[in-house]
């Protein structure tokens, strides 16, 4: 089955939207950058925003969709440490914020699988 153009468009939109958010309002993302990374958090926030936009654009274009989707899967894995840091840093926040931070952790798995389905040219996952 060929990749669902709608699924690829949605994945592309998610990536481009997230990348734009990193560039338009970087401060909240700066706090998620693990301290073990060299350089300034703002640099990492900007680089990750640019990477998300570039990967999203690659997913949007049929000629680069498979490569872009594979890059998206790698990107979703690469940002996982930031989600772990957020969950740890927010452990003393009010319950709804703590829950949101913890919910980001298992959310990475379906994002990676979605990107891999687009990479393989498969349609969306079957509905139960």
């Amino acid at each position: 089955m060929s990749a669902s153009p709608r699924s690829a468009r949605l994945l592309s939109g998610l990536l481009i939207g997230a990348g734009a958010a990193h560039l338009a309002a970087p401060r909240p993302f700066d706090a998620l950058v693990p301290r073990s990374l060299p350089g300034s958090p703002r640099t990492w926030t900007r680089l990750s925003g640019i990477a998300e936009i570039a990967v999203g654009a690659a997913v949007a274009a049929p000629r680069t969709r498979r490569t872009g989707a594979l890059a998206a899967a790698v990107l979703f894995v690469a940002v996982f440490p930031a989600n772990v840091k957020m969950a740890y840093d927010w452990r003393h926040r009010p319950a709804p914020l703590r829950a949101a931070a913890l919910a980001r952790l298992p959310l990475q798995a379906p994002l990676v699988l979605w990107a891999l389905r687009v990479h393989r040219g498969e349609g969306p996952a079957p509905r139960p």
Side-chain angles (χ1 to χ4, degrees), residues 42-80:
R42 181 61 50 93
T43 299
W44 287 103
T45 296
R46 287 183 177 138
L47 288 173
S48 64
I50 291 166
E52 286 171 327
I53 291 169
V55 168
V59 170
R63 291 182 67 200
T64 57
R65 179 165 295 147
R66 291 193 59 199
T67 301
L70 186 58
V74 170
L75 185 64
F76 291 140
V77 170
V79 300
F80 187 73

Side-chain angles (χ1 to χ4, degrees), residues 6-16 59 69 72 76 114-115 118:
R6 182 173 185 266
S7 182
R9 280 194 308 271
L10 289 171
L11 179 60
S12 173
L14 172 78
L15 288 158
I16 292 171
V59 170
F76 291 140
W114 180 15
V118 172

